Amino acid sequence: MQRKNKVGLLKTIRCLCSLRWQLKNQRQYIKQHLPPLLDSLASGGQGQFNTGTIKRVTKYWELSLHVICNSLYKLSGRQLNAAEQHRILLLSIFGPLYDDLFDDSILSHEQIAAFTLHPAQHTPASFEEYVVKKIYLQLLELSPNSKKVTEHLYQVFLWQKESLKQMSPDVSQEELYEITYKKSYYSILLFYSILDHYPNDALLEMIYPMAGLLQLTNDAFDVYKDVHSGIYTIPNLYRNFDHLQQHFMNEVALFNQRLMQLPFVQQAKDYYSITIHALHAMGWIAMEQLRENTRHINSVEELATLSRQSLVCDMDHLRQQLRWIRQVRSLVNHRINKEVIMNN
């Protein structure tokens, strides 16, 4: 099902302005709710949250609330209730701390697996473990389907463990694509598992390419950080931007196609598409910059010699923001071709 009329620039701008206003308005929510919630979670533990953790939680929450959860609800004509917003905030605290169990080697992989499947049986040996267990048990108690929460978190664990292959330059491009997509996809599904209304199969099919594009966008922005941290991603290891950008646009088209086939009002689908592609457009711009600035780079070692300015995409100045708006509109209107349909 294809729409005849393209989304115009004015509608794109209106939707982006509305999204920005919502983001600004919701910051009052987190200022009001996050501090007492953190105090409550820390109560009884031997430690406290640091400033860095709070910043990570806030960024995690902004993405999960506006792009992942609220936008999907608006697409289907729903509105998040207070209990769901509380669970989203809880999971936004949980996510970065759960990542730290891996990244900071707080627990072994066997211990993380056991904790994920049987959290009540875990005995915390640190403040981080104490808080992660406390949040997880609350989420299981408050969520409508605790079994689904555990199933998705276990998939997050499996793909987090699989992502350790990204520490080796021998990881294949096929493996990187699978890790990129699955890690992002199950992280998104974990958020949906705590909501009152879990997506149906048609929505899940649409979400899969969206998840991959979000992670590719993140990887394009993090090239400087990743290359200096010994993390290999598709943009920094393979650097075949012809292939990467073609893949990116095919996935944009596939996402648009699946969205258009959903039985929702066109206005809601347009708004959802603009919201999602607001991030994808940033990824595309970052890839364009990388393509230009790494044209003569032949290895990751050479890539590491480039300046931060060359590898980090600055979206703050006006010219770049105008380019971003035009790119959002372009992605929203990008349509699928028969070859993409056959290959997917």
Side-chain angles (χ1 to χ4, degrees), residues 270-287:
D270 288 346
Y271 185 89
Y272 181 74
S273 182
I274 292 169
T275 300
I276 298 302
H277 288 316
L279 286 181
H280 296 161
M282 293 182 189
W284 180 264
I285 292 171
M287 287 179 205

Side-chain angles (χ1 to χ4, degrees), residues 114-288:
F115 164 70
T116 301
L117 295 173
H118 309 288
Q121 299 176 18
H122 182 72
T123 302
S126 66
F127 175 70
E128 291 79 10
E129 293 175 59
Y130 171 80
V131 174
V132 169
K133 176 181 177 180
K134 194 171 184 178
I135 299 173
Y136 190 14
L137 292 178
Q138 286 188 25
L139 284 170
L140 292 176
E141 181 181 353
L142 296 173
S143 298
N145 189 334
S146 60
K147 183 180 179 182
K148 192 177 289 291
V149 175
T150 297
E151 288 174 351
H152 285 331
L153 183 59
Y154 188 67
Q155 289 295 324
V156 169
F157 158 73
L158 291 177
W159 287 101
Q160 187 83 318
K161 186 172 70 168
E162 194 73 6
S163 71
L164 294 176
K165 291 181 179 179
Q166 292 183 260
M167 306 298 289
S168 169
D170 297 326
V171 62
S172 71
Q173 185 170 254
E174 292 73 21
E175 287 176 311
L176 275 179
Y177 267 115
E178 185 175 23
I179 292 167
T180 297
Y181 273 66
K182 294 290 181 61
K183 185 169 64 171
S184 179
Y185 182 61
Y186 284 108
S187 295
I188 290 172
L189 294 194
L190 179 60
F191 270 97
Y192 293 148
S193 72
I194 66 169
L195 301 180
D196 291 346
H197 303 278
Y198 188 79
N200 60 28
D201 290 344
L203 284 168
L204 293 177
E205 287 184 359
M206 177 196 69
I207 289 161
Y208 188 76
M210 178 198 87
L213 289 168
L214 288 178
Q215 187 58 48
L216 286 172
T217 291
N218 185 67
D219 290 344
F221 267 87
D222 282 351
V223 164
Y224 182 83
K225 182 184 76 173
D226 289 342
V227 79
H228 287 281
S229 302
I231 298 173
Y232 298 96
T233 64
I234 294 165
N236 73 33
L237 181 58
Y238 287 97
R239 300 183 306 283
N240 184 343
F241 289 101
D242 285 336
H243 178 275
L244 175 55
Q245 290 182 292
Q246 183 60 55
H247 171 88
F248 195 94
M249 294 308 293
N250 285 348
E251 293 294 87
V252 166
L254 183 61
F255 167 80
N256 289 346
Q257 174 73 9
R258 290 176 177 175
L259 174 60
M260 287 303 106
Q261 292 173 340
L262 295 175
F264 302 123
V265 298
Q266 190 60 54
Q267 182 76 8
K269 289 193 282 191
D270 288 346
Y271 185 89
Y272 181 74
S273 182
I274 292 169
T275 300
I276 298 302
H277 288 316
L279 286 181
H280 296 161
M282 293 182 189
W284 180 264
I285 292 171
M287 287 179 205
E288 288 280 276

